[in-house]
Amino acid sequence: MLKPITCDVAVIGAGSAGLAAYRAAKAEGARTLLIEAGPGGTTCARFGCMPSKLLLAAARAARDADRASTFGIKTEGVVVHGRAVMARVQRERDGFVADVLKEMSDIPAADKVHGRARFAGPDTLTVDDHTLITAGAIVIATGARPVVPQDLRDACQERVVTHETVFDLETLPRTLAVIGAGPLGLELALAFSRLGVKTTLFDEGDRIGAVRDPVVASAVRETFEQALKLELGVHVQAKRKADGDILLSWTDQGKARRGTFEYVLDAAGRAPAVDHLDLNLTGLPLGDTGVPTFDAQTLRCGASSIFIAGDVNDARPVLHEASLQGELAGRNAARRRRRRLQKRDPMPSLAIVYSDPDIAAVGAPWDEEAARDWVIGCSADVGRARVDAKTPGVLRLYADAGSGALIGGEMFGPDVEHLAHLLAWAVQLSLTAKDVLALPFYHPTVEEGLRTALRDIADQGSR
């Protein structure tokens, strides 16, 4: 017998988007339920942003110690203790997860339902075999999960890891194959390589870190070819060896290649976690990935009372976007009958890869056709980077040739995570290169690289 519950808003998933949706709906005075099937803790804290940055921090410490001789400082040799590295990653990660779980524990018990939710209709959900929920509106915030090809999973068995399992390793592997050269794969491949793991990064395409600007892409590839082994434009096949290691085979420019690895990290992609929701019972049209079509401005699915937020909608799968979307979806779900739905404020996209030197993309993505109407500013020499013995990289900023307004850019270099924020603010405020050049720049800082690119735009006659 299912226990019936009626509410104004039901939120499926207690990750970053789901928690934000719950808080927003409650703030609107809506009777809100939060449904979670797993242990909670959010992707960011448990599997994503925080453990990966913990591993990257260890890798940066090892690399900096190793290159201390550049500054005339002699060391007796760097020794990486794999178990200690992973123990700190897990200890600090568990602390971040505990903080999120504490937030969840503060939610009233009457507002929480534990179990797997499925749609029984456009406004009804069943949770496992114990609860039937009728809701005025529903927010889908179930996130995304790694996709591992079945043949790879069958071949590697427990030796295939994803971003959800790699941080549970007791020690660093001897050898590692990373499949997928996107932001996640690149970050983790570099981290393990700098910690002394013999690492090879594979991808079927030829792009690294999702970089699109050809000038930036060239600099990225040239730099990281020196940091780890790259095998791009290849398809790998896996076979389990008698000793448990994995034999990978691929073809490189017509030549058969192979290598043996202790672990394979699959970072080739994530898929919206919707396969368990029975979305076919909502009556909504579904896209190729099984996700309902939705309005990106309101996050409403069609003309229904269903909203979708966070990684599950695959629009901008990063934490700050998940939180913003969750807040908007929760607010609109609560307001759906009382007033017009709120639309999200225009905001330039902002993506950062913590590859050290970092990669960042802001606003309008590179497009060869569209670039004919752009003024492009470039900077490839930053004095502060030379002082710190860091790769200077390259910055490319884009401005509209007509209005002079900055519209975006791609960057590669030290601390561009900070420069990307400055550019994103300038783009959102519709500032021109000359507008930003009128603001203070201190010397010597990496921000001067941004100033050089802005001057390049201004010198070309842009406003």
Side-chain angles (χ1 to χ4, degrees):
M1 183 70 178
L2 297 178
K3 175 184 177 181
I5 300 179
T6 301
C7 64
D8 298 319
V9 177
V11 179
I12 310 173
S16 299
L19 289 170
Y22 167 81
R23 291 191 296 266
K26 289 286 287 187
E28 292 288 328
R31 165 78 171 103
T32 308
L33 291 179
L34 183 63
I35 309 166
E36 173 58 53
T42 78
T43 293
C44 174
R46 192 180 292 277
F47 309 125
C49 315
M50 305 318 292
S52 65
K53 302 312 167 286
L54 287 164
L55 192 69
L56 285 162
R60 183 170 59 251
R63 188 198 56 185
D64 289 349
D66 189 54
R67 71 178 187 181
S69 60
T70 301
F71 301 94
I73 300 170
K74 185 177 290 186
T75 62
E76 297 302 321
V78 178
V79 178
V80 176
H81 296 280
R83 288 186 177 274
V85 168
M86 296 308 296
R88 179 179 185 269
V89 168
Q90 293 158 11
R91 181 173 63 252
E92 295 295 333
R93 173 203 62 186
D94 292 347
F96 289 120
V97 172
D99 292 340
V100 179
L101 295 179
K102 171 62 167 60
E103 179 183 355
M104 289 186 63
S105 70
D106 292 339
I107 295 174
D111 290 356
K112 294 183 287 190
V113 179
H114 188 270
R116 189 172 297 279
R118 295 178 180 273
F119 280 90
D123 61 354
T124 55
L125 300 167
T126 60
V127 182
D128 290 341
D129 57 357
H130 55 73
T131 305
L132 175 66
I133 297 173
T134 302
I138 297 171
V139 177
I140 301 171
T142 48
R145 62 169 67 98
V147 178
V148 180
Q150 192 61 47
D151 58 344
L152 181 62
R153 190 184 297 275
D154 291 342
C156 298
Q157 298 174 33
E158 76 280 358
R159 293 292 186 91
V160 62
V161 291
T162 68
H163 74 91
E164 291 189 350
T165 56
V166 68
F167 303 113
D168 290 325
L169 294 177
E170 293 183 0
T171 190
L172 297 171
R174 303 184 310 275
T175 53
L176 178 69
V178 179
I179 300 177
L184 177 61
L186 178 60
E187 286 184 358
L188 294 179
L190 287 168
F192 280 109
S193 178
R194 289 166 178 166
L195 288 166
V197 178
K198 187 177 179 180
T199 305
T200 303
L201 179 60
F202 296 88
D203 199 286
E204 294 185 356
D206 59 2
R207 287 201 296 166
I208 305 173
V211 177
R212 299 178 64 164
D213 186 304
V215 176
V216 180
S218 178
V220 168
R221 181 162 184 167
E222 181 180 346
T223 298
F224 292 139
E225 280 178 335
Q226 302 172 35
L228 48 80
K229 188 175 181 181
L230 297 176
E231 293 288 351
L232 304 179
V234 301
H235 175 74
V236 298
Q237 293 182 315
K239 181 180 179 181
R240 185 75 176 265
K241 297 176 64 178
D243 62 2
D245 284 352
I246 305 301
L247 177 65
L248 293 186
S249 303
W250 66 97
T251 301
D252 181 15
Q253 296 181 345
K255 187 176 181 180
R257 303 283 300 280
R258 63 182 184 175
T260 299
F261 303 90
E262 184 180 6
Y263 282 92
V264 174
L265 169 59
D266 190 290
R270 302 169 74 220
V274 295
D275 53 298
H276 62 283
L277 290 176
D278 289 344
L279 286 169
N280 57 299
L281 298 180
T282 63
L284 294 170
L286 307 179
D288 294 340
T289 59
V291 174
T293 54
F294 65 97
D295 180 355
Q297 296 301 308
T298 64
L299 304 179
R300 184 183 188 184
C301 298
S304 72
S305 294
I306 299 172
F307 299 79
I308 187 164
D311 289 3
V312 66
N313 67 32
D314 203 28
R316 295 183 182 178
V318 288
L319 179 135
H320 70 276
E321 276 290 334
S323 296
L324 289 171
Q325 289 184 21
E327 182 177 350
L328 178 63
R331 185 179 299 116
N332 279 342
R335 293 178 174 183
R336 73 206 177 280
R337 291 180 180 171
R338 297 202 306 268
R339 65 194 85 169
R340 295 176 60 185
L341 297 183
Q342 180 179 342
K343 294 185 177 181
R344 66 173 299 161
D345 295 328
M347 185 180 298
S349 62
L350 172 60
I352 298 171
V353 184
Y354 297 94
S355 45
D356 192 17
D358 298 335
I359 300 166
V362 175
W366 172 263
D367 181 274
E368 188 170 352
E369 183 74 21
R372 296 174 182 176
D373 297 320
W374 297 351
V375 179
I376 300 174
C378 186
S379 170
D381 185 16
V382 182
R384 181 57 183 269
R386 293 170 60 189
V387 167
D388 295 337
K390 294 182 177 180
T391 302
V394 59
L395 278 60
R396 296 256 287 177
L397 308 187
Y398 316 140
D400 179 76
S403 67
L406 293 165
I407 58 173
E410 283 198 315
M411 312 175 181
F412 171 58
D415 301 319
V416 299
E417 58 179 291
H418 306 298
L419 305 188
H421 282 83
L422 299 180
L423 178 59
W425 299 343
V427 171
Q428 183 159 340
L429 294 172
S430 299
L431 300 181
T432 67
K434 290 184 178 179
D435 290 335
V436 182
L437 286 169
L439 301 173
F441 286 85
Y442 204 82
H443 173 78
T445 62
V446 293
E447 283 76 9
E448 288 181 302
L450 191 67
R451 183 179 63 181
T452 299
L454 291 166
R455 282 176 172 171
D456 191 11
I457 291 175
D459 288 346
Q460 295 176 61
S462 184
R463 301 175 188 178

